[in-house]
Amino acid sequence: GNQPQYRMVRSLFETRTEFTDSLFYDVSTWSLPHSFNLEHAELSSRQFNRNLQGSEVESPEFPAGNMYGGEARYAYVFEWDAYYAPRTLYRLLRAGVRAKVANRPFAAETSEGVRSFSKGTVLVALGIQDELSTGEVFELLHQGTREDALDVYALNTGLSREGIDLGSPSFSMLQKPSVMLLTGDGVNVSEAGETWHQLDQRYHMPVTKIETSRFSGASLDRYNVLVMVNGNYNSFLENDREKLRGWIAGGGTVIAYKNAARWLANHGISPVTFNESERDTSAVRPYGDVMQNRGSQVIGGSIFQSELDLTHPLAYGYRRADLSIFRNSTIFMNPPENPYASPVRYTESPLLSGYISDQNLEQVSGSSSVVVSALGSGRIISMTDNPNFRAFWFGTNKLFANGVFFGNLVNRFASEGGE
């Protein structure tokens, strides 16, 4: 009664899985807490207590991070949880800073006492910097606290209280991503734009857009990441496919969504397989039902629950295994033969909100959302879902960032086709 925007708030949090119709103009559900992958619970009037209410938000302020411990003698670390951590990391790498990522957790002495740091923590050790002064490194990290809401911790020794020491080989050296995005004929315009927006506008990372018709003449040497969004890549002739295959084998990382992932598999570039729907050709049906029946098999946009392998580099920055995924395709990827190669899988009862037919629900249940495969020294990250959907599905943005920054670090033996 005291909430003037009651109807709007309720609609933003609403989940629904039962519908009287199966035809939708657009997506069948919008649920804000799922889009941010937030833990949340609904309180009934009986459970509600006024003491739970915070103060009224009059003007939302961008949060500020902290530089704990001032200038370090040995190293700085920051965790990957912060939404804009990729922006800080790219700023460092672009400036020539050498940075590493922790593949195992550790605990270290900070100005705030002993603190535990999770996998995915970024380490900037001062002793290995050869392009910038210690003051310049400090200022770049301080910029991250001001502009990216990052908490940075100064460490004055390489010895950890628990877990790996800072000189451990369990830290991997990071390379600066140089990203190209395929656009043009056959490529989904919206998804290409959403990918560009995530990198350029949010992470302040330059992206080179290459039209599919110009791929054969493009020089790929300066790029190490290629994004292929949903689309039709049949304009790629055999020499284009061999050029792509050679670039990946030489160490490139491809992030491919939906039909792009299927195209790579169809041409033997990736070994992933898909669960294709079998059409019922035995039944005779009335002409007047054609649109209703076709519409009932479309997933216009629904929300599903997946399970993350929190030990995998593509899951760095996540703390909970539950991940809400927005899906608007009927492309179903089979779990790979390699048991380590699928860091994101749909649960056996995945529907959280929205419409899906019984047949499609059976196919999506237990299927893979992400599979990593190996080709030579390169990696292919196949995804059945768009992690940057309409620039509002924030919860899966980190999956995409992890593919860009850490995709090349995925162990070959944990990749499909890489045994």
Side-chain angles (χ1 to χ4, degrees):
N2 293 332
Q3 174 56 263
Q5 302 294 343
Y6 168 80
R7 290 182 185 277
M8 184 182 76
V9 171
R10 188 163 186 83
S11 67
L12 290 176
F13 280 78
E14 180 185 53
T15 58
R16 180 178 298 186
T17 57
E18 294 185 8
F19 300 85
T20 56
D21 197 353
S22 61
L23 289 177
F24 296 89
Y25 164 71
D26 193 38
V27 305
S28 62
T29 180
W30 298 96
S31 180
L32 215 56
H34 285 298
S35 74
F36 284 88
N37 199 43
L38 294 175
E39 286 190 280
H40 62 285
E42 184 174 334
L43 300 179
S44 66
S45 57
R46 182 172 297 179
Q47 297 165 312
F48 178 73
N49 186 312
R50 269 186 200 283
N51 295 332
L52 297 173
Q53 279 185 303
S55 56
E56 183 177 350
V57 178
E58 296 181 355
S59 60
E61 301 292 337
F62 189 80
N66 286 292
M67 199 87 191
Y68 292 107
E71 291 202 42
R73 293 193 300 271
Y74 188 86
Y76 300 96
V77 291
F78 60 87
E79 291 196 287
W80 196 242
D81 304 43
Y83 182 79
Y84 287 112
R87 192 157 74 189
T88 293
L89 178 55
Y90 185 78
R91 187 184 297 118
L92 292 167
L93 297 174
R94 182 184 59 195
V97 172
R98 294 175 181 269
K100 297 182 178 183
V101 63
N103 298 308
R104 290 170 61 187
F106 63 99
E109 183 76 45
T110 74
S111 63
E112 306 300 299
V114 176
R115 193 179 189 284
S116 296
F117 293 95
S118 59
K119 296 180 180 187
T121 294
V122 175
L123 165 69
V124 178
L126 295 174
I128 61 172
Q129 306 306 326
D130 55 9
E131 291 194 31
L132 282 81
S133 68
T134 56
E136 289 170 322
V137 172
F138 174 82
E139 183 46 45
L140 282 169
L141 287 162
H142 197 208
Q143 185 180 352
T145 67
R146 296 192 308 267
E147 297 181 10
D148 306 332
L150 205 64
D151 286 335
V152 179
Y153 294 85
L155 304 181
N156 294 319
T157 174
L159 299 176
S160 298
R161 288 295 190 91
E162 292 179 25
I164 55 174
D165 290 328
L166 302 192
S168 166
S170 291
F171 281 93
S172 296
M173 187 69 77
L174 295 169
Q175 63 178 10
K176 178 174 72 73
S178 184
V179 184
M180 55 179 163
L181 169 68
L182 287 176
T183 61
D185 288 346
V187 177
N188 184 294
V189 174
S190 297
E191 290 194 9
E194 288 155 8
T195 299
W196 168 85
H197 178 271
Q198 186 65 25
L199 292 167
D200 186 281
Q201 298 292 296
R202 289 193 175 147
Y203 295 157
H204 296 173
M205 294 174 59
V207 186
T208 299
K209 297 180 286 295
I210 298 176
E211 293 195 18
T212 51
S213 60
R214 296 177 179 269
F215 181 80
S216 59
S219 175
L220 309 184
D221 294 346
R222 61 178 290 254
Y223 304 104
N224 50 34
V225 178
L226 168 64
V227 183
M228 300 176 68
V229 300
N230 189 36
N232 175 349
Y233 294 88
N234 293 335
S235 62
F236 273 39
L237 302 177
E238 185 176 355
N239 61 324
D240 297 319
R241 298 195 295 269
E242 289 307 309
K243 180 177 180 177
L244 175 59
R245 191 191 303 271
W247 178 84
I248 300 169
T253 299
V254 173
I255 303 172
Y257 315 158
K258 302 180 186 174
N259 280 314
R262 186 149 58 180
W263 181 86
L264 290 170
N266 288 345
H267 290 90
I269 299 173
S270 88
V272 300
T273 62
F274 295 84
N275 186 351
E276 306 292 347
S277 299
E278 291 186 10
R279 294 191 176 185
D280 182 2
T281 57
S282 62
V284 176
R285 296 178 179 175
Y287 172 87
D289 292 345
V290 63
M291 293 310 293
Q292 183 73 28
N293 291 337
R294 281 181 60 84
S296 69
Q297 296 305 315
V298 170
I299 303 176
S302 299
I303 304 168
F304 299 90
Q305 184 182 47
S306 72
E307 185 175 359
L308 279 174
D309 173 3
L310 293 176
T311 71
H312 198 283
L314 293 191
Y316 286 172
Y318 289 96
R319 297 294 181 100
R320 293 186 300 117
D322 285 349
L323 178 65
S324 299
I325 290 182
F326 185 90
R327 161 177 276 263
N328 61 354
S329 79
T330 52
I331 296 172
F332 309 105
M333 193 157 47
N334 293 320
E337 291 183 15
N338 187 322
Y340 307 104
S342 183
V344 191
R345 295 192 188 197
Y346 286 106
T347 62
E348 294 300 327
S349 300
L351 183 61
L352 292 172
S353 185
Y355 170 79
I356 187 172
S357 69
D358 291 342
Q359 178 185 346
N360 284 337
L361 182 58
E362 184 177 338
Q363 287 188 279
V364 77
S365 300
S367 68
S368 289
S369 174
V370 178
V371 171
V372 183
S373 53
L375 178 61
S377 299
R379 301 292 179 268
I380 300 168
I381 301 169
S382 299
M383 312 178 83
T384 59
D385 312 292
N386 173 11
N388 304 313
F389 178 70
R390 292 189 185 172
F392 104 98
W393 203 267
F394 284 80
T396 49
N397 290 160
K398 189 81 76 179
L399 279 181
F400 176 69
N402 291 350
V404 171
F405 285 94
F406 309 139
N408 64 311
L409 302 179
V410 176
N411 191 309
R412 176 178 183 80
F413 299 109
S415 306
E416 187 75 337
E419 299 92 334

